[in-house]
Amino acid sequence: ETIRRFTEEGLSTFVFMRPLTRGASDDFAEVLAAARGAGAVGVVVGSLRVSRKIYRRLKQAKVVDIEAVDAQLRARGVEPGDLAAQQVDIQDAAPWHNPTPGRAL
């Protein structure tokens, strides 16, 4: 509803989606279709940021491949057991937008 109101007021509206991970965000296509239907002109995809607290939740929820998360952390020089409150980006973010307002995402 907010996207629709902003669009009606003439604002170019974008959707920010973070993170897109297998098992945890399988409905992303439906979300994008609803956003497009409401008038959104683009989407920005953000990276997965992992802190000690987020890592614990991911591990407990078992919705992502925790070994893949571990590998990405190690590739950035961070051991999973050494995570702190500060977040570490482990996925590349790819911003995108449709430069022509009013056209489909």
Side-chain angles (χ1 to χ4, degrees):
E1 186 58 37
T2 300
I3 293 170
R4 190 174 315 284
R5 284 185 297 170
F6 284 171
T7 300
E8 288 170 357
E9 292 296 322
L11 297 170
S12 294
T13 307
F14 291 76
V15 176
F16 186 79
M17 297 184 77
R18 167 188 250 144
L20 294 180
T21 57
R22 271 185 236 131
S25 54
D26 292 336
D27 63 345
F28 74 91
E30 296 166 23
V31 172
L32 290 177
R36 178 181 56 200
V41 296
V43 60
V44 177
V45 178
S47 62
L48 174 60
R49 294 182 176 174
V50 180
S51 65
R52 178 179 289 155
K53 185 176 182 179
I54 293 169
Y55 181 84
R56 245 182 310 184
R57 288 180 178 171
L58 289 172
K59 196 170 183 176
Q60 289 173 346
K62 298 179 183 173
V63 295
V64 297
D65 181 354
I66 202 66
E67 291 177 6
V69 172
D70 292 348
Q72 290 184 51
L73 286 168
R74 289 185 179 110
R76 285 160 179 74
V78 178
E79 283 297 318
D82 295 338
L83 282 167
Q86 184 176 359
Q87 295 179 344
V88 177
D89 284 331
I90 66 167
Q91 291 178 336
D92 294 329
W96 176 89
H97 77 282
N98 180 344
T100 309
R103 295 198 50 199
L105 288 173

